[in-house]
Amino acid sequence: MDQNEYLYFLRRALDGMVSALEELGDELANTAPPQTGANSPYAITYHCMAVAQYWIGHILAGRPVDRDRDSEFTARGTVTDLKGSLGPLFDQLRDDLLDVEGLTVPRNTAPASFEGPDRDLSCLGVQLHVLEELAQHHGQVETARDVLLNGGM
């Protein structure tokens, strides 16, 4: 797999989420839509960055990653700070993927509590899972943006 092309698609998803946050501004970006159990667009985007960091950095590359998954869904902050952390994240992910071979076994296994796929994955499977998560959450952030910009309707 061409890792640069893979990272291009991850970046498109995260850039799209950040673009939606910029449309909302800090206050609305940190506001959850009125639907029961909804998370703020900021928290969803923050979660996606943690997903990429954990699954690629820890599961694939074997790098220690300190993750508090539950706190990702209550994360708050400024859009500017979140956007500023994308460059360093992608520099790290690029380094993490240097020695990853598609059908080999990842260096680590995720705990079942992280709600990943319910089967053992190859490195390629882990990468597809990250892309799956970012793609679905990109749509979720855009839907939340639309709801929040239209007064919660």
Side-chain angles (χ1 to χ4, degrees), residues 1-16 56 90 93-94 97 127 131 134 138:
M1 176 188 298
D2 179 345
Q3 300 298 6
N4 288 322
E5 188 169 45
Y6 174 72
L7 288 169
Y8 166 80
F9 283 99
L10 295 187
R11 186 70 193 238
R12 276 176 46 105
L14 282 166
D15 283 346
I56 294 173
F90 275 87
L93 295 178
R94 187 169 285 105
L97 290 169
Q127 287 184 254
L131 182 59
L134 271 59
H138 180 194

Side-chain angles (χ1 to χ4, degrees), residues 125-137:
V126 170
Q127 287 184 254
L128 291 171
H129 172 61
V130 173
L131 182 59
E132 167 191 47
E133 287 291 311
L134 271 59
Q136 73 180 348
H137 287 311

Side-chain angles (χ1 to χ4, degrees), residues 87-139:
L89 171 65
F90 275 87
D91 290 343
Q92 181 64 62
L93 295 178
R94 187 169 285 105
D95 289 346
D96 290 338
L97 290 169
L98 284 175
D99 297 323
V100 170
E101 297 290 330
L103 298 178
T104 61
V105 175
R107 292 198 172 120
N108 290 307
T109 303
S113 63
F114 278 19
E115 299 178 15
D118 60 356
R119 56 178 281 185
D120 291 335
L121 298 175
S122 66
C123 288
L124 177 60
V126 170
Q127 287 184 254
L128 291 171
H129 172 61
V130 173
L131 182 59
E132 167 191 47
E133 287 291 311
L134 271 59
Q136 73 180 348
H137 287 311
H138 180 194

Side-chain angles (χ1 to χ4, degrees), residues 32-86:
Q35 291 76 20
T36 302
N39 298 301
S40 76
Y42 181 96
I44 297 165
T45 305
Y46 184 90
H47 165 69
C48 286
M49 293 172 70
V51 164
Q53 180 82 275
Y54 181 81
W55 285 86
I56 294 173
H58 180 67
I59 301 300
L60 291 184
R63 183 169 49 80
V65 172
D66 185 25
R67 183 177 186 200
D68 179 357
R69 187 178 183 279
D70 291 339
S71 72
E72 294 165 15
F73 299 102
T74 59
R76 298 182 58 79
T78 68
V79 176
T80 300
D81 288 346
L82 192 68
K83 183 177 182 177
S85 63
L86 282 179

